[in-house]
């Protein structure tokens, strides 16, 4: 069996599942490894452990990481940085490097600059070592002179020291007295040698020498950047020689394949995440980024990780998709051909009740002990009766789904309902970064963003959610609470693909609320296993009106007092009343502080100020209500800022259709035969929301 390096923590190995350990052992063996990872089973963590073990057990080998999207690649790369892999051996290629959540720059230019800075730091340490040995400091002028200094003065002294130690093992203080680099290590927080035991001091001496050895080894790696003068040559050397783990998307690999071949790019291992989302040809290209050596391919391991039960590659040409079956990935083809694979069989993302909405699609998908034992999964969602629910949304002002242009589906009722529920959650104290709004069509995504810009952005204490995206774009991501809009009211549409349903139902950890037309989706045969579970609960949104904070002592199985929301209008009324309450509370504490503050001492004023800020802040990420809240739903003196959509929302007429796309803003779309309405384009804040 391949030897395991457990530097990342032996305790972590024992906390892994048997299937995950099997996937790691298989991944470090030569040949093809296929890992099927259902949602929440730790595909990324398994990939990171494979990379970590390969790096420590095969230090001379280089590994190439390929993913379909920049988001998935950055998630994987950030987890690798948390392991004990030196930053100088990591390289991230492509434009997505700018989105990495790290202070270090892992692009080619960033790594070159880092190596040059590190070279100066190491040379200064060499000069300090020379001073401690009473030698000239010019030995630290370049990496070359430092290499000679290592051979002539450092390593030779260490050999002489070892020879004398063999004859004086009976003297406890011998190492303390005769260690040749003792003065160099005088700046350590605690004394290196105690003089009480020869064996203990000898272990400390060997540790000190290993530190020196690593310093000069790193200087030898910096020597090439000293010899190469141009930035291009330095970056090419970094990519082709020094970096041990290189990460890029499959698109970047296809675009730069010719350059890689010309530079002599080499790698031994290939790890491909999201393999089921990558086209077959895009899977082959990363395997062919290097030339053969003496007629033999250098590639030793190929690890494919994915889930063929989730969304396949996107092929926009219908002829290629239907007749050539190009939407089938190589990963899916291998699974269908019966190639052996390892399937991870326990999820650690969602509540077990939410996981039942999609685990029927998998052979034997269970739950990790974590989701059964952790307190956060046992507590109910404050303000909501259930942890997941289907909410039936009827026609809103005689309108269901609309299509201003082909395939651009919108549903105003669902958009208004979802935004009202989002505002309700924010007013209860839910953090905005824990809530995501998903939908199945781009048209609905743009419509929801417009509604958020109109209703949420005027209030600093509400703001936008973490992300408004389509289900397809959100694959591979997760959040605590998901509000999902299914849009369609006439035909089921592309949600009939069960793989899209699995992705939609598996993004939430703690709460999932689906807004749709019940009469349509409950009749869809393909979706029956999921919707039968959803329809076991009321199809009216069930709230707990007695809870006012994001924390509750109610268990997830305890429904508490149930209030069924009759529809969109009632939900809007609940939200408006809570906004009014928040504003009145803010004004009350502000006026109270103004009246009694002059008669208070400094400490009492500070206490009152803390009390006001404590009552008026919604969470740690938003401003206080007293500083940012509006005076009312539509403040006086701001009539010019009210959009036509806001004006019509207060009338009895139809709600106009939202904009078709960014390019079609300000077009006139009739809401009925008599009243054409000019649509407003999204505000800058809405356009800047994450795609």
């Amino acid at each position: 069996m391949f030897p395991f390096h457990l530097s990342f923590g032996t305790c972590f190995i024992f906390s892994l599942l048997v299937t995950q350990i099997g996937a790691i052992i298989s991944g470090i063996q030569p040949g093809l490894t296929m890992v099927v990872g259902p949602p929440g089973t730790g595909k990324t963590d398994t990939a990171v452990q494979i990379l970590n073990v390969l790096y420590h057990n095969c230090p001379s080998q280089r590994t190439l990481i390929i993913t379909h999207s920049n988001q998935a690649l950055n998630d994987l790369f950030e987890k690798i940085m948390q392991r004990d892999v030196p930053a100088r051996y990591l390289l991230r290629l492509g434009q997505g490097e700018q989105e990495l959540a790290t202070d270090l720059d892992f692009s080619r230019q960033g790594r070159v600059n880092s190596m040059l800075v590190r070279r100066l730091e190491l040379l200064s340490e060499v000069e300090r070592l020379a001073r401690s040995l009473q030698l000239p400091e010019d030995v630290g002028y370049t990496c070359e002179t430092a290499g000679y200094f290592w051979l002539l003065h450092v390593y030779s002294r260490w050999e002489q020291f070892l020879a004398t130690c063999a004859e004086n093992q009976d003297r406890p203080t011998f190492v303390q007295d005769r260690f040749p680099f003792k003065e160099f290590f005088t700046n350590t927080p605690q004394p290196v040698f105690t003089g009480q035991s020869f064996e203990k001091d000898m272990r400390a001496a060997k540790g000190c020498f290993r530190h020196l050895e690593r310093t000069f080894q790193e200087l030898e790696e910096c020597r090439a950047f000293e010899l190469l003068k141009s930035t291009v040559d330095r970056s090419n050397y970094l990519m082709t020689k020094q970096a041990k783990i290189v990460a890029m998307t499959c698109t970047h690999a296809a675009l730069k394949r010719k350059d890689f071949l010309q530079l002599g790019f080499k790698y031994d291992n290939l790890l491909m995440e999201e393999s089921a989302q990558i086209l077959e040809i895009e899977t082959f290209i990363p395997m062919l980024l290097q030339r053969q050596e003496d007629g033999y391919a250098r590639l030793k391991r190929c690890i494919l990780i994915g889930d063929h039960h989730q969304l396949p590659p996107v092929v926009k040409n219908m002829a290629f998709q239907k007749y050539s079956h190009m939407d089938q990935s190589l990963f899916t083809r291998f699974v269908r051909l019966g190639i052996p694979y390892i399937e991870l069989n326990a999820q650690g993302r969602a509540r077990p009740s939410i996981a039942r909405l999609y685990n029927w699609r998998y052979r034997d998908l269970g739950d990790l002990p974590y989701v059964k034992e952790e307190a956060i999964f046992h507590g109910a969602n404050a303000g909501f009766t259930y942890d997941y629910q289907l909410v039936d949304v009827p026609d809103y002002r005689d309108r269901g789904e609309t299509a201003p242009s082909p395939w651009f589906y919108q549903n105003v009722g669902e958009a208004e309902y979802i935004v009202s529920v989002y505002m309700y959650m924010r007013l209860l104290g839910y953090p905005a970064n824990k809530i995501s709004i998903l939908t199945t069509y781009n048209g609905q995504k743009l419509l929801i963003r417009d509604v958020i810009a109109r209703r949420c952005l005027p209030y600093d204490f509400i703001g936008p959610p973490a992300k408004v995206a389509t289900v397809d774009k959100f694959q591979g991501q997760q959040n605590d609470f998901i509000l999902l809009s299914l849009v369609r009211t006439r035909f089921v549409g592309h949600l009939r693909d069960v793989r899209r349903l699995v992705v939609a139902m598996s993004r939430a950890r703690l709460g999932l609320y689906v807004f749709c037309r019940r009469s349509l989706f409950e009749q869809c045969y393909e979706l029956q296993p999921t919707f039968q579970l959803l329809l076991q609960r009321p199809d009216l949104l069930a709230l707990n009106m007695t809870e006012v904070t994001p924390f509750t002592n109610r268990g997830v199985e305890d429904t508490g007092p149930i209030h069924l929301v009759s529809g969109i209008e009632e939900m809007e009324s609940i939200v408006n009343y809570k906004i009014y309450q928040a504003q009145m509370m803010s004004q009350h504490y502000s006026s109270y502080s103004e009246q009694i503050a002059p008669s208070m001492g400094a400490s009492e004023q500070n206490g009152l100020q803390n009390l006001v800020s404590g009552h008026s802040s919604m969470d740690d990420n938003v401003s206080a209500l007293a500083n940012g809240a509006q005076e009312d739903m539509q403040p006086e003196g701001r009539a010019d800022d009210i959009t036509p959509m806001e004006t019509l929302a207060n009338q009895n007429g139809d709600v106009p259709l939202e904009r078709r796309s960014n390019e079609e803003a300000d077009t006139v779309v009739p809401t009925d035969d008599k009243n054409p309405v000019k649509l407003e384009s999204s505000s800058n804040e809405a356009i800047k929301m994450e795609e």
Side-chain angles (χ1 to χ4, degrees):
M1 181 180 291
F2 202 92
F4 252 110
H5 181 91
L6 298 180
S7 62
F8 51 84
T10 307
C11 59
F12 182 83
I13 284 292
F14 292 109
S15 66
L16 288 172
L17 294 172
V18 175
T19 53
Q20 286 179 318
I21 297 175
I24 296 172
I25 294 175
S26 177
I28 60 180
Q29 304 295 333
L32 174 66
T33 298
M34 292 182 55
V35 180
V36 175
T41 53
K43 294 189 293 292
T44 304
D45 291 331
T46 302
V48 169
Q49 297 305 327
I50 292 175
L51 293 170
N52 195 34
V53 174
L54 284 175
Y55 166 75
H56 287 98
N57 287 279
C58 308
S60 62
Q61 295 185 6
R62 310 180 72 232
T63 303
L64 177 65
I65 304 174
I66 298 290
T67 65
H68 173 66
S69 62
N70 281 308
Q71 175 72 36
L73 187 60
N74 289 340
D75 290 344
L76 181 60
F77 200 82
E78 288 169 7
K79 290 186 177 182
I80 296 172
M81 292 188 302
Q82 298 172 4
R83 302 295 186 268
D84 54 342
V85 179
R88 66 181 184 274
Y89 293 140
L90 300 176
L91 180 62
R92 167 73 164 87
L93 301 179
Q95 298 298 323
E97 188 275 335
Q98 303 171 358
E99 302 172 4
L100 276 175
T102 176
D103 296 332
L104 301 177
D105 187 356
F106 285 93
S107 64
R108 283 193 288 183
Q109 186 59 48
R111 287 295 88 204
V112 169
N113 294 337
S114 177
M115 290 298 295
L116 295 176
V117 171
R118 182 61 177 164
R119 168 184 169 272
L120 297 178
E121 295 175 354
L122 294 173
L123 289 178
S124 65
E125 285 293 291
V126 171
E127 293 176 355
R128 189 168 70 87
L129 178 61
R131 286 197 302 270
S132 69
L133 298 176
Q134 299 180 353
L135 295 173
E137 297 181 12
D138 58 358
V139 296
Y141 181 68
T142 64
C143 295
E144 183 178 4
T145 56
Y148 296 145
F149 171 67
W150 160 258
L151 292 174
L152 295 176
H153 298 285
V154 179
Y155 193 72
S156 60
R157 280 175 167 80
W158 174 251
E159 288 184 328
Q160 294 174 5
F161 171 72
L162 291 179
T164 55
C165 284
E167 302 172 356
N168 297 272
Q169 296 183 7
D170 55 341
R171 297 171 55 185
T173 61
F174 181 80
V175 176
Q176 184 181 23
D177 297 336
R178 302 292 296 275
F179 184 65
F181 314 111
K182 181 171 61 176
E183 185 178 349
F184 178 76
F185 290 99
T186 55
N187 60 352
T188 56
Q190 297 179 353
V192 179
F193 306 107
T194 61
Q196 299 176 357
S197 169
F198 177 87
E199 290 76 10
K200 185 177 180 180
D201 285 354
M202 193 61 191
R203 285 195 299 269
K206 291 181 179 179
C208 293
F209 182 74
R210 282 195 298 270
H211 171 75
L212 295 176
E213 193 175 23
R214 284 194 297 267
T215 299
F216 284 93
Q217 180 183 358
E218 196 170 345
L219 270 173
E220 185 63 26
E221 294 176 357
C222 295
R223 185 175 179 182
F225 298 93
E226 186 177 82
L227 299 175
L228 299 171
K229 299 304 180 183
S230 70
T231 304
V232 175
D233 292 340
R234 287 172 173 173
S235 62
N236 289 339
Y237 174 83
L238 178 81
M239 181 181 66
T240 57
K241 300 295 183 183
Q242 182 176 357
K244 303 293 185 183
I245 299 177
V246 182
M248 67 184 80
T249 62
C250 54
T251 303
H252 185 82
L255 293 175
K256 300 295 183 179
R257 179 178 180 270
K258 183 178 179 181
D259 297 337
F260 290 142
L261 292 176
Q262 290 177 347
L263 292 172
F265 183 65
K266 301 292 183 183
Y267 55 97
D268 303 275
N269 312 305
L270 172 65
L271 187 144
M272 193 171 296
E273 252 268 55
E274 291 185 339
S275 299
Q277 266 195 299
I278 301 178
L279 290 170
E280 195 161 358
I281 184 63
E282 289 180 325
T283 307
F284 282 121
I285 289 176
M287 301 179 187
L288 302 172
L289 297 182
Q290 59 185 347
R291 300 185 185 279
Q292 293 185 349
E293 297 179 347
D294 300 327
Y296 294 95
R298 179 169 172 170
L299 189 63
K300 299 177 179 62
R301 299 173 186 86
C302 182
I303 303 109
L304 305 180
I305 303 177
D307 182 10
H308 58 290
H309 291 301
Q310 297 188 49
L311 287 172
V314 177
V315 179
K316 294 185 177 181
N317 188 296
M318 297 301 293
F320 286 138
Q321 178 181 343
K322 297 298 182 183
Y323 299 111
S324 300
H325 205 12
M326 284 189 64
D327 60 339
Q328 177 177 257
S329 63
L330 182 66
F331 183 86
T332 306
R333 181 189 294 273
F334 281 168
V335 171
R336 290 180 173 177
L337 289 176
I339 304 297
Y341 62 86
I342 298 172
E343 183 171 355
L344 306 180
N345 57 6
Q347 66 89 24
R349 171 187 295 171
R351 300 180 190 268
S353 57
I354 296 178
R356 284 197 297 269
L357 296 174
Y358 57 87
N359 63 11
W360 57 270
R361 183 65 174 163
Y362 298 92
R363 183 170 51 191
D364 186 23
L365 181 59
D367 302 308
L368 283 174
Y370 168 74
V371 298
K372 298 178 181 178
E373 300 169 0
E374 196 69 18
I376 190 174
F377 293 101
H378 289 284
N381 299 333
F384 293 93
T385 302
Y386 303 106
D387 52 350
Y388 70 86
Q389 193 177 4
L390 181 146
V391 181
D392 184 29
V393 183
D395 288 349
Y396 181 62
R397 298 183 179 176
D398 299 327
R399 287 186 182 274
E401 72 172 59
T402 56
S405 60
W407 311 107
F408 196 80
Y409 295 103
Q410 295 180 330
N411 189 317
V412 177
E414 291 184 12
E416 294 285 350
Y417 209 152
I418 276 187
V419 173
S420 294
V421 174
Y422 166 71
M423 296 174 69
Y424 170 77
M425 297 177 70
R426 294 289 292 125
L427 291 167
L428 288 184
Y430 285 90
N433 61 353
K434 298 296 183 182
I435 308 171
S436 294
I437 299 178
L438 303 184
T439 181
T440 49
Y441 289 93
N442 278 314
Q444 184 75 350
K445 176 189 70 176
L446 298 175
L447 174 59
I448 291 174
R449 289 183 176 181
D450 284 340
V451 177
I452 289 173
R454 173 170 55 85
R455 297 183 58 187
C456 301
L457 296 186
Y459 302 98
D460 294 339
F461 53 89
I462 294 180
K467 185 168 288 188
V468 180
T470 60
V471 172
D472 297 46
K473 289 291 184 180
F474 206 70
Q475 179 168 340
Q477 304 176 56
Q478 64 182 24
N479 210 339
D480 286 355
F481 303 96
I482 298 294
L483 305 178
L484 175 63
S485 171
L486 301 186
V487 185
R488 304 301 297 273
T489 59
R490 297 191 184 99
F491 302 99
V492 174
H494 62 199
L495 191 67
R496 192 180 292 273
D497 188 341
V498 180
R499 294 173 295 186
R500 184 168 283 104
L501 177 74
V502 170
V503 176
M505 296 294 142
S506 60
R507 302 304 100 194
R509 296 183 65 245
L510 303 176
L512 173 65
Y513 302 96
V514 183
F515 298 80
C516 66
R517 183 63 55 88
R518 169 178 178 165
S519 58
L520 173 66
F521 289 96
E522 70 178 347
Q523 298 176 3
C524 182
Y525 175 77
E526 291 86 351
L527 312 181
Q528 283 296 306
T530 294
F531 278 85
Q532 285 178 359
L533 288 174
L534 289 171
L535 294 175
Q536 291 176 3
R537 297 177 175 180
D539 60 4
L540 296 178
L541 182 61
L543 302 180
N544 190 321
M545 305 298 292
T546 61
E547 295 171 338
V548 293
T549 68
F551 308 103
T552 177
N553 295 325
R554 179 166 53 92
V556 67
E557 301 295 337
D558 182 13
T559 58
I562 301 177
H563 175 80
L564 297 178
V565 179
S566 60
I568 304 172
E569 292 80 4
E570 183 182 356
M571 193 67 216
E572 290 179 350
S573 301
I574 294 173
V575 170
N576 293 342
Y577 179 68
K578 286 191 173 293
I579 290 178
Y580 173 77
Q581 280 184 320
Q583 291 174 338
M584 290 301 101
M585 181 181 295
S586 173
Q587 293 175 5
H588 170 73
Y589 281 105
S590 298
S591 61
Y592 180 72
S593 61
E594 291 175 359
Q595 291 176 5
I596 69 171
S599 62
M600 287 184 173
S603 61
E604 293 174 333
Q605 289 183 12
N606 292 335
L608 178 62
Q609 185 176 1
N610 294 334
L611 179 64
V612 173
S613 62
H615 277 277
S616 57
S617 62
M618 298 308 298
D619 56 45
D620 295 338
N621 301 321
V622 296
S623 302
L625 287 174
N627 298 326
Q630 304 296 325
E631 292 298 325
D632 203 349
M633 287 295 292
Q634 295 180 357
E636 295 181 2
R638 294 189 60 190
D640 295 339
D641 296 338
I642 300 174
T643 64
M645 176 65 78
E646 292 178 280
T647 305
L648 287 176
N650 296 323
Q651 299 176 358
N652 294 326
D654 292 336
V655 176
L657 300 178
E658 293 296 327
R659 59 188 177 90
R660 301 179 182 181
S661 62
N662 292 337
E663 294 78 13
E664 292 180 274
D666 296 332
T667 58
V668 176
V669 181
T671 58
D672 52 35
D673 296 334
K674 298 180 181 179
N675 299 319
V677 179
K678 184 178 181 181
L679 298 182
E680 287 288 319
S681 60
S682 296
S683 62
N684 292 334
E685 292 86 358
I687 294 175
K688 291 179 181 178
M689 293 173 65
E690 287 187 82
E691 176 57 27

